[in-house]
Amino acid sequence: MTYRAPTQDIRFVLKELADLDGVLALPGFEEVSEDLVDAVLQENARFVEQAIAPLNRAGDTTPAKWNDGAVTTSPGFKKAFAEFAQGGWQGLQHEQEWGGQGLPKLVGAAASENINAANLAFSLCPLLTDGVIEALAAVGTQEQQSRFIPPMLEGRWTGTMNLTEPQAGSDLAQVATRAVKQGDGAYRLSGQKIFITYGEHDMAENIVHLVLARTPDAPKGVKGISLFIVPKFLVNEDGSLGARNDVWCASLEHKLGIHGSPTAVLLYGSGKGEAGEGAVGYLVGEENRGLEYMFIMMNAARYAVGIQGIAVSERALQHAMAYAHERLQGQALEGSAGPVAIADHPDVQRMLLTMKSLTEGGRALAYVAAAACDKSRRHADPAVRAKNKAVYEYLVPIVKGFSTESSVEVASLGVQVHGGMGFIEETGAAQYYRDARILPIYEGTTAIQANDFVGRKILRDGGAVAQGLALEMQATVAQLEAAAARGGAGADGLALIARRLAAAVAAYESATGFVLSSAKDALRAVFLGSVPYLLLAGVVNAGWQLARAALVASQQADAGKGSDFYTQKLATSIFYAAHILPRAESLSIAVLEGGVASQYAGLAVHA
Amino acid sequence: MTYRAPTQDIRFVLKELADLDGVLALPGFEEVSEDLVDAVLQENARFVEQAIAPLNRAGDTTPAKWNDGAVTTSPGFKKAFAEFAQGGWQGLQHEQEWGGQGLPKLVGAAASENINAANLAFSLCPLLTDGVIEALAAVGTQEQQSRFIPPMLEGRWTGTMNLTEPQAGSDLAQVATRAVKQGDGAYRLSGQKIFITYGEHDMAENIVHLVLARTPDAPKGVKGISLFIVPKFLVNEDGSLGARNDVWCASLEHKLGIHGSPTAVLLYGSGKGEAGEGAVGYLVGEENRGLEYMFIMMNAARYAVGIQGIAVSERALQHAMAYAHERLQGQALEGSAGPVAIADHPDVQRMLLTMKSLTEGGRALAYVAAAACDKSRRHADPAVRAKNKAVYEYLVPIVKGFSTESSVEVASLGVQVHGGMGFIEETGAAQYYRDARILPIYEGTTAIQANDFVGRKILRDGGAVAQGLALEMQATVAQLEAAAARGGAGADGLALIARRLAAAVAAYESATGFVLSSAKDALRAVFLGSVPYLLLAGVVNAGWQLARAALVASQQADAGKGSDFYTQKLATSIFYAAHILPRAESLSIAVLEGGVASQYAGLAVHA
């Protein structure tokens, strides 16, 4: 078994931290029982372990191949995607009205983690298809929805996001692809898009490209961008496939990682299609509101990439943990007759626990965010919906930024645990290190997440959400202190968590105060520290969730229901508090010193 | 130009921080003038920029190839090595009695950084040859020295270190290669060695393997290991090459990075040689003292790998800096008519300055260490020699551990600065990310450096060296405070450096106190934090050197000798103080919480 779904931890987080009960009680989830959720998670685990995970290395060693515009995916991918489609996995969290299963995002997040852990490169295809479905469901016409969504849910078609052009990466104001309206109401698109994940492949009958482009009279900048549906094959009235559209894959990129995922250069309007020159596209919503619509799928995709960070971390952790228990090297610190497993050495434990605690902390935080999303959509009380919407939107850039940056660290430690063997490609640890590196980049770099976080999630509400969460964290500190004072399971550890969490929350509040007070007069001071501030929020929020987990684990042990799982959870949380939470202090100082540092930063990079 | 030697910064560090004057005044360096050093550095820069750097990518894309035991190196490598040999670069810091140039290690360090930055994979060959020369010069017989050293200095032969076996990585007690004494006094070796860098190649006429092996009656463990010279071709009395020895390259590894460096599996004694079965080897020094001798070259190699960390960092920095100034994306934070260079964005500045300040801090620290090494060997006063020896040995694991861990972070940020382009292999940034990853592993993992640091450099002298350096750092803090109080160039920045350095030194002293007081009763508590403690020492020591640099830069500006270089140096030092030095606080907390955390760590990794 190359990967085993962490079902026990997933269940623990769902039930003990992310309020699965509360989510299942929401209007619309009446038919979703806890038993059903358990069954879905079990079946999901079985499927990805058996059908998807074994293809991970083949995707790395045998990347997708381009030949005259056609792309052949890695060995086994096409068959696996058919099984994925047949299992109904694409529809897991989409509405039943389109043929989906309508499960909570909370459950979808867990399933998404598993498949991404099993095979990151493979899973990008359904990930992007999810985003296209979500965007069309939100802003497509009913005709667009009924024409395009069901085939995607069935896994017959897949979807892509087309934002980037060579001159327009993070800066979408520079998008130059043209869209000219035709007499029939459709548009003809021409231009070049790059970095299009699964922009061409052989796993589906059709590909639904969502494309940002400009109409001839559109305003400059991001306010002149419109969103279009451009199918690879045009779709007849009866849903059957028609003429080949004028969108072509010019080449695939040669990448550091995720080799199994074809990253396409797409040419629109090169004149080779069966439907005449210019790619036929259909406007989504209104002209010039494309960026707004794209953000619907961007937000879903950003959250999903955060989940990918947790997924790669879990996979790297499992690989390193297995090796550390197999590999015999060196005597025990206290002396031993012969070599011991390296998992017995303190620094290997430090590495494994850094990996494990970052992974489990990131997971807990992301699932709590998913629950907030479910409540923001379905709770009966508008005030509860609004509160959860604010919390979810606050957490999305944290989940994306923190989990993906963590995944690079975790995968790097995974290599290190293997020693020299980690550097040998056949070992497999290096793949995660290469794969993880894209995660802090695509769907908005960490800096873009930090801009969103500071600008829209902190400054816009004057830090209200942040402050509300800080109060809840302080309540958790008080609970930890009380539990520690009572003695019982892990009391000294709970006390450690309490003091470190209290210090971290204080550090976060200081930094938030600085951001709020400096935004008006010292914007560079704020933004020199915006990524440290975002990561600080991640360190503290994930630490808070692990602190809550430690309380549960300690209570279970006190109640005589202790188990290896609870022991490990408590110990992992204690480690996080000792080794990861203290990062809050240094990150906070970096933010707070921004006033002076930002006056010199520009001088140091300009020759 | 793919790489430009950072000659201005190297000169600054040599003269202002590493006491080049004092080093050149040492006995034995009478003929080495500052002009000569400058000339060597200039010629070195010209050579590596023109002859070595352009081969870096070819080494990555066209790795060395194995065919029936023979290894063909990457395109251009053989010719470049001939030019390297002809230029006399192998002999730079070796004794003149063997044909070397006898320059200080301080100068050798700079030359070594340049060639490693130009091409890490290429430079591993001379790096290991240096180690073999150093070991033979120290413990070889005169006959061994005169037979093997001059051809290596001339670049006709190269050298390797053979430690690792499949079952014996970091744990050399498990070395099993056998060496049986023959009637003629030579030994016959049999066994398998792995991970042998440049263990086979086509760049030199002969290869001198230094091999750890066990005689039949040797004691178990590390006290039964002996060191042998095993040449690929036996050497006749007149120095000409004789029979092909029974050592063969069975295969090359497929690695994450440094593709241009052939990593060999070597078989000793498979019976195919022209000199009969068993590889003919010559004992170095006495039987069973091999590990002690190997440490002579290990220490040189560890320092050299630290230099490699700085080298890769510098290369990644130059790549990212150039891109950040070329790439136009987004408006200026304060608003702008059109897109600006991304180097203008605060978070790109943060990334570039993290890269730059870690690189320059690591360089300053490593060169100061080299100067201490020179003084420890040559100073007329035995007390000064002893003091410098202690300082150098204290700094070696820091230079190795801190610079190499930093290089992974720096190379990762280098990818991030490039955004999506960073993930495309053709961009080149990804190569540094892959190459750097071996540096915290080979020649002793970071954990091994931390063990050495805690066990031999802190506990053995009761923290005396650490304490002595802390006093010097506090003196620097006082100088910074005085300079800040005087006003003048960068006064607010100097004040920032002063407060952050003071806090970091205090954090380091707390952690040192914990290590010293816990070593007896809580060894696991110490070693759960040994890597954080080592990195803490690195953060503080490098920060101290940058603080000294800031003082010089500020003084120059006050004296009307300001320049872009000094402005940048001051600004870079301020950034390090604001963003990197605060890591001291969090690392120190992780060490200090070791008492409780270590009681739970084992529980969390054992199922």
Side-chain angles (χ1 to χ4, degrees), chain B residues 5 7 18 35 55 78 96 107 138 140 190 213 226 268 275 368 424-425 458 465 507-509 519 539 551 585:
Chain B
T7 306
D35 285 349
L55 305 176
K78 188 172 175 174
Q96 290 178 325
V107 179
S190 54
S226 304
Y268 290 84
V368 165
I424 307 300
E425 284 287 359
I458 296 294
V465 171
Y508 181 56
E509 290 193 296
V539 163
L551 278 170
E585 271 93 327

Side-chain angles (χ1 to χ4, degrees), chain B residues 194 467 563:
Chain B
I194 62 170
Q467 186 56 32
S563 69

Side-chain angles (χ1 to χ4, degrees), chain A residues 171 330 334 412 492 524 600, chain B residues 171 330 334 437 492 524 600:
Chain A
D171 183 6
E334 297 80 7
S412 182
D492 53 352
R524 283 202 172 258
Y600 291 89
Chain B
D171 183 6
E334 297 80 8
R437 197 64 199 74
D492 55 352
R524 284 202 171 256
Y600 291 89

Side-chain angles (χ1 to χ4, degrees), chain B residues 149-290:
Chain B
I149 294 180
M152 285 194 282
L153 283 182
E154 293 161 21
R156 291 190 292 118
W157 303 355
T158 64
T160 74
M161 291 168 64
N162 285 237
L163 288 80
T164 307
E165 300 176 7
Q167 80 294 351
S170 299
D171 183 6
L172 293 173
Q174 297 183 55
V175 161
T177 296
R178 276 171 62 90
V180 180
K181 195 168 186 176
Q182 309 294 305
D184 62 356
Y187 292 69
R188 291 279 182 164
L189 276 73
S190 54
Q192 183 187 353
K193 293 287 181 179
I194 62 170
F195 298 163
I196 308 309
T197 301
Y198 281 92
E200 180 57 60
H201 63 85
D202 60 358
M203 305 195 314
E205 299 161 17
N206 200 7
I207 302 175
V208 183
H209 303 292
L210 277 192
V211 185
L212 289 184
R214 250 175 230 293
T215 55
D217 53 350
K220 284 193 169 182
V222 294
K223 290 180 180 166
I225 299 174
S226 304
L227 182 64
F228 299 91
I229 300 167
V230 181
K232 176 179 169 186
F233 289 98
L234 299 182
V235 183
N236 299 320
E237 286 299 315
D238 62 357
S240 65
L241 298 186
R244 179 68 165 83
N245 205 354
D246 192 8
V247 48
W248 303 96
C249 176
S251 60
L252 297 181
E253 304 290 356
H254 175 218
K255 306 190 299 294
L256 170 62
I258 53 169
H259 293 163
S261 165
T263 303
V265 173
L266 290 186
L267 299 182
Y268 290 84
S270 56
K272 293 192 300 177
E274 298 165 354
E277 187 166 340
V280 176
Y282 310 106
L283 182 68
V284 179
E286 297 170 23
E287 281 190 7
N288 301 329
R289 292 180 63 187

Side-chain angles (χ1 to χ4, degrees), chain A residues 116 119-129 159 197-198 258 261 305 308 438-439 442-443:
Chain A
N116 277 287
N119 195 329
L120 192 71
F122 175 86
S123 304
L124 277 162
C125 189
L127 185 155
L128 288 159
T129 304
T197 300
Y198 281 92
I258 51 168
S261 165
V305 173
Q308 290 192 312
I438 192 59
L439 302 180
Y442 66 18
E443 304 305 337

Side-chain angles (χ1 to χ4, degrees), chain A residues 126-175:
Chain A
L127 185 155
L128 288 159
T129 304
D130 268 341
V132 174
I133 294 168
E134 198 148 338
L136 292 184
V139 293
T141 63
Q142 203 168 0
E143 195 206 333
Q144 288 169 344
Q145 291 169 341
S146 60
R147 179 161 298 183
F148 294 103
I149 293 179
M152 286 195 281
L153 282 181
E154 292 161 22
R156 291 191 290 117
W157 303 356
T158 64
T160 73
M161 292 170 64
N162 287 237
L163 288 78
T164 306
E165 301 176 8
Q167 79 294 350
S170 299
D171 183 6
L172 293 173
Q174 297 184 53
V175 161

Side-chain angles (χ1 to χ4, degrees), chain A residues 1-199:
Chain A
M1 187 78 71
T2 58
Y3 165 74
R4 192 175 291 275
T7 306
Q8 196 172 14
D9 195 49
I10 288 173
R11 280 195 180 129
F12 171 82
V13 173
L14 259 54
K15 294 179 190 176
E16 303 290 354
L17 304 179
D19 189 23
L20 178 65
D21 286 354
V23 168
L24 296 187
L26 292 170
F29 293 143
E30 291 80 1
E31 292 171 25
V32 186
S33 67
E34 196 174 310
D35 284 350
L36 176 64
V37 171
D38 279 347
V40 166
L41 290 178
Q42 268 182 34
E43 177 54 21
N44 182 256
R46 192 200 59 76
F47 170 66
V48 304
E49 288 169 1
Q50 293 179 8
I52 308 296
L55 305 176
N56 191 46
R57 187 152 164 73
D60 190 49
T61 55
T62 312
K65 282 190 184 61
W66 181 95
N67 182 29
D68 194 22
V71 171
T72 309
T73 48
S74 301
F77 274 38
K78 188 172 176 174
K79 176 168 173 287
F81 190 76
E83 290 171 35
F84 172 84
Q86 189 151 26
W89 295 109
Q90 188 76 62
L92 202 65
Q93 54 179 310
H94 296 292
E95 299 295 339
Q96 290 178 325
E97 80 175 284
W98 305 119
Q101 298 173 47
L103 289 175
K105 186 179 182 83
L106 180 56
V107 180
S112 169
E113 183 194 321
N114 279 336
I115 194 165
N116 277 287
N119 195 329
L120 192 71
F122 175 86
S123 304
L124 277 162
C125 189
L127 185 155
L128 288 159
T129 304
D130 268 341
V132 174
I133 294 168
E134 198 148 338
L136 292 184
V139 293
T141 63
Q142 203 168 0
E143 195 206 333
Q144 288 169 344
Q145 291 169 341
S146 60
R147 179 161 298 183
F148 294 103
I149 293 179
M152 286 195 281
L153 282 181
E154 292 161 22
R156 291 191 290 117
W157 303 356
T158 64
T160 73
M161 292 170 64
N162 287 237
L163 288 78
T164 306
E165 301 176 8
Q167 79 294 350
S170 299
D171 183 6
L172 293 173
Q174 297 184 53
V175 161
T177 296
R178 276 170 63 90
V180 180
K181 195 166 184 173
Q182 310 294 306
D184 62 355
Y187 292 68
R188 290 278 182 167
L189 276 75
S190 55
Q192 183 185 352
K193 294 286 182 180
I194 62 171
F195 298 163
I196 309 309
T197 300
Y198 281 92

